[in-house]
Amino acid sequence: MKNKYYIGFPMKDGCHVDGANMGIDILKDKIKFDKIIDIKECSSDLECVIKHDELLALEVDNAIKNDYMPVVIGGDHSLAIGSIAGVSKNYTIGVIWIDTHPDSNTNKTTTTFHIHGYPLGASMGFGQDELTNLYFDGVKVKSENVVMFGIDDIDEPEKDLIDKYNIKHYTYDDIVKYGIDYCIEDTINYLKDKVDYIHLSFDIDVISTFDSPGVSVPNRWDNGLSKNDALKAVSSFLDNLNIVSMDIVEYNPLTDKNNKSLNIVLDTIKIVNKK
């Protein structure tokens, strides 16, 4: 696997929860970032997300063109609009979305109007033009090349979208029922037949709050994968698919306890660095 290029993205404007922007300050003393995006104040959340995700997309695009694997660390999950745009400028990609939320609402279906609930939907071409056409016009990843892994906290419009477009997914209940190994293997086999390049987006709120309390928007029902299962999935996908870019998002030091979530991020980075 290629050398890694670590990008810090300390933004909370997609979720409006204090702390999502603070994780990089802690992490930068523990890992070496190649670039930290400077987040400036904006007149609106939408302006802030667009402005900074454009910068992120360019950084990811350039990293790939220079033969690196960009790893973006957040910050809230709205950053994935930028990271996916940057990598899809270079490749036809698939996306593995490891998250308790599908993040596939739009400005027409949301009840919160928080943009971190939009990024996968926007990347698939659903929602407002300013987000779906970020960095370059057009769909960044086809819905048939997406796998949602571990989703549980699903809004009704997101369920409708998943059903309408038959988006491959494994819910938390599916993983409990079939076992983590089966769901990992099936995800790998599904994408191997479709695309050669994969973006892996890992939101640590897919993990139970017992193992990972330090997140911005935890699962409403306190469900979630174990830390070991989540990291097993990340490691297996890196081993068996051509992962060319990655996100690690939603670490919030203000809600963390005993550095549990911090250590999940650091353990994830150790896994990535070994590949």
Side-chain angles (χ1 to χ4, degrees), residues 43 84 132 143-144 165 255 268:
S43 60
I84 291 174
T132 61
S143 59
E144 60 263 33
Y165 292 95
T255 58
T268 305

Side-chain angles (χ1 to χ4, degrees), residues 14 22 40 49 52 83 97 134 138 151 155 163 172 174 176 178 187 189 200 203 206 209 240 253 258:
M22 298 176 185
K40 300 183 183 299
V49 170
H52 296 102
S83 58
W97 194 262
L134 188 135
I151 58 172
D155 293 337
D163 291 343
Y172 166 77
D174 291 332
V176 170
Y178 298 111
T187 297
N189 290 335
L200 177 60
D203 188 330
V206 77
T209 53
N240 292 284
N258 300 317

Side-chain angles (χ1 to χ4, degrees), residues 9-10 55 72 74 76 96 115 119 122 153 162 175 198-199 265 272:
F9 198 80
L55 295 174
V72 184
D76 72 70
I96 302 176
I115 301 171
D153 197 339
I162 291 167
I175 293 171
I198 306 292
H199 176 82
V265 175
V272 173

Side-chain angles (χ1 to χ4, degrees), residues 205-268:
D205 70 19
V206 77
I207 299 171
S208 73
T209 53
F210 176 81
D211 281 350
S212 182
V215 298
S216 294
V217 184
N219 181 290
R220 278 180 282 186
W221 300 282
D222 205 27
N223 288 334
L225 304 182
S226 69
K227 170 185 174 178
N228 289 342
D229 278 354
L231 293 183
K232 183 176 189 178
V234 169
S235 182
S236 297
F237 296 144
L238 286 163
D239 279 339
N240 292 284
L241 291 166
N242 185 20
I243 307 294
V244 293
S245 56
M246 184 174 177
D247 309 317
I248 306 168
V249 304
E250 300 281 0
Y251 163 54
N252 187 330
L254 294 186
T255 58
D256 205 6
K257 297 175 182 177
N258 300 317
N259 291 328
K260 285 184 174 182
S261 293
L262 170 61
N263 288 328
I264 287 170
V265 175
L266 295 175
D267 287 347
T268 305

Side-chain angles (χ1 to χ4, degrees), residues 153-167:
D153 197 339
I154 308 165
D155 293 337
E156 196 62 34
E158 294 175 308
K159 183 179 184 302
D160 292 342
L161 185 77
I162 291 167
D163 291 343
K164 180 178 180 179
Y165 292 95
N166 195 27
I167 298 170

Side-chain angles (χ1 to χ4, degrees), residues 96-186:
I96 302 176
W97 194 262
I98 306 178
D99 195 333
T100 197
H101 308 100
D103 288 349
S104 295
N105 272 304
T106 71
N107 58 316
K108 299 266 180 79
T109 65
T110 184
T111 59
T112 67
F113 292 93
H114 293 167
I115 301 171
H116 76 150
Y118 303 0
L120 183 55
S123 299
M124 292 187 290
F126 305 118
Q128 59 211 96
D129 291 345
E130 299 99 319
L131 298 178
T132 61
N133 292 325
L134 188 135
Y135 198 56
F136 67 92
D137 289 352
V139 171
K140 307 308 190 289
V141 58
K142 294 180 180 178
S143 59
E144 60 263 33
N145 294 338
V146 168
V147 178
M148 300 174 179
F149 195 93
I151 58 172
D152 184 66
D153 197 339
I154 308 165
D155 293 337
E156 196 62 34
E158 294 175 308
K159 183 179 184 302
D160 292 342
L161 185 77
I162 291 167
D163 291 343
K164 180 178 180 179
Y165 292 95
N166 195 27
I167 298 170
K168 181 75 170 177
H169 63 282
Y170 276 105
T171 65
Y172 166 77
D173 288 340
D174 291 332
I175 293 171
V176 170
K177 179 178 179 180
Y178 298 111
I180 190 72
D181 292 332
Y182 174 84
C183 298
I184 289 170
E185 183 178 1
D186 192 58

